[in-house]
Amino acid sequence: MIRVEEAFVRKLVSNEIISLNEADIYKFGLECFLLKIIHCISYFIIAVCFQMVPELIVIGSILIPLRRSAGGYHARSKSGCYLFSCCYIAILLFLSEAAIQPLFWWGALIIADAVLYFKSPADNENKRLDKAEVEYFRKKTRYLLLGVNAACVALTALGFCYIGTLFQCAICAAAFLLVLHDLQEAADRFL
């Protein structure tokens, strides 16, 4: 069976829109794009099932930029990535709704800030970072952290504690992915 991206790229080549030399790059890009769409649709389905679409949007607006800058855990396969991501989103939505004391979230935020500040960025076998990239992503992560932490304090001070908690949840989620990355690397070295 011909995959959608392969058929599309063949059409682009046959119509001389792209050269045959560029076909693999376009296939890879289209595959990544389609996988992202599938992930996003799945996340929204999970959020709809939990009746938490606004919460997903708030958490995602913080988690996605932090994740892109800080890096973190990556599953070894596409199916593993999909299952892990869907489960992770479900757990985050559950935790954001759980009756957790605000003091706990503030404590978790301090720990998560330290993890992100000192451990980011994390590269992986698919994305090795050179010295300049490490410096760039480290600086970007720290600026994001500063902004999101300031927003958490401001939202809480203005009485929007729930939104502030969602921000804290997103920061903690990004930090946990960095910790998982370190555990994965330690396990790989051990085995």
Side-chain angles (χ1 to χ4, degrees):
M1 185 168 122
I2 298 175
R3 297 172 63 166
V4 173
E5 64 271 9
E6 289 178 25
F8 186 74
V9 169
R10 283 185 191 164
K11 191 75 166 166
L12 291 175
V13 171
S14 68
N15 289 333
E16 297 180 0
I17 296 171
I18 64 170
S19 71
L20 187 58
N21 295 340
E22 299 171 319
D24 286 340
I25 295 169
Y26 277 85
K27 273 192 266 188
F28 176 75
L30 282 170
E31 181 181 350
C32 290
F33 178 71
L34 291 172
L35 288 173
K36 292 274 186 213
I37 288 176
I38 291 168
H39 279 246
C40 289
I41 290 170
S42 298
Y43 302 157
F44 274 99
I45 290 170
I46 292 167
V48 166
C49 289
F50 287 173
Q51 298 178 354
M52 298 181 75
V53 172
E55 289 85 347
L56 174 71
I57 293 169
V58 171
I59 290 171
S61 70
I62 304 303
L63 178 58
I64 292 169
L66 273 175
R67 171 98 162 117
R68 289 189 190 275
S69 296
Y73 173 79
H74 284 276
R76 300 192 194 289
S77 67
K78 293 174 193 169
S79 58
C81 174
Y82 178 75
L83 290 173
F84 176 83
S85 298
C86 287
C87 290
Y88 201 60
I89 292 298
I91 290 167
L92 289 177
L93 291 175
F94 172 76
L95 286 175
S96 72
E97 193 68 18
I100 298 173
Q101 294 296 320
L103 190 59
F104 172 81
W105 278 117
W106 286 106
L109 178 67
I110 291 168
I111 294 167
D113 283 342
V115 168
L116 286 163
Y117 188 86
F118 292 109
K119 300 295 281 179
S120 69
D123 64 359
N124 62 59
E125 61 223 21
N126 296 327
K127 182 180 174 186
R128 293 292 177 204
L129 303 175
D130 63 27
K131 189 176 180 178
E133 290 171 322
V134 167
E135 190 58 38
Y136 169 78
F137 286 115
R138 179 173 290 135
K139 188 181 290 187
K140 188 175 175 184
T141 301
R142 290 175 177 175
Y143 282 133
L144 284 168
L145 272 179
L146 182 64
V148 177
N149 276 277
C152 285
V153 172
L155 287 165
T156 302
L158 295 171
F160 298 103
C161 298
Y162 185 61
I163 298 172
T165 300
L166 294 175
F167 280 26
Q168 293 167 334
C169 182
I171 293 171
C172 292
F176 186 71
L177 291 172
L178 272 177
V179 171
L180 279 180
H181 174 267
D182 285 352
L183 292 173
Q184 182 184 38
E185 285 194 337
D188 288 346
R189 283 192 301 269
F190 181 73
L191 300 174

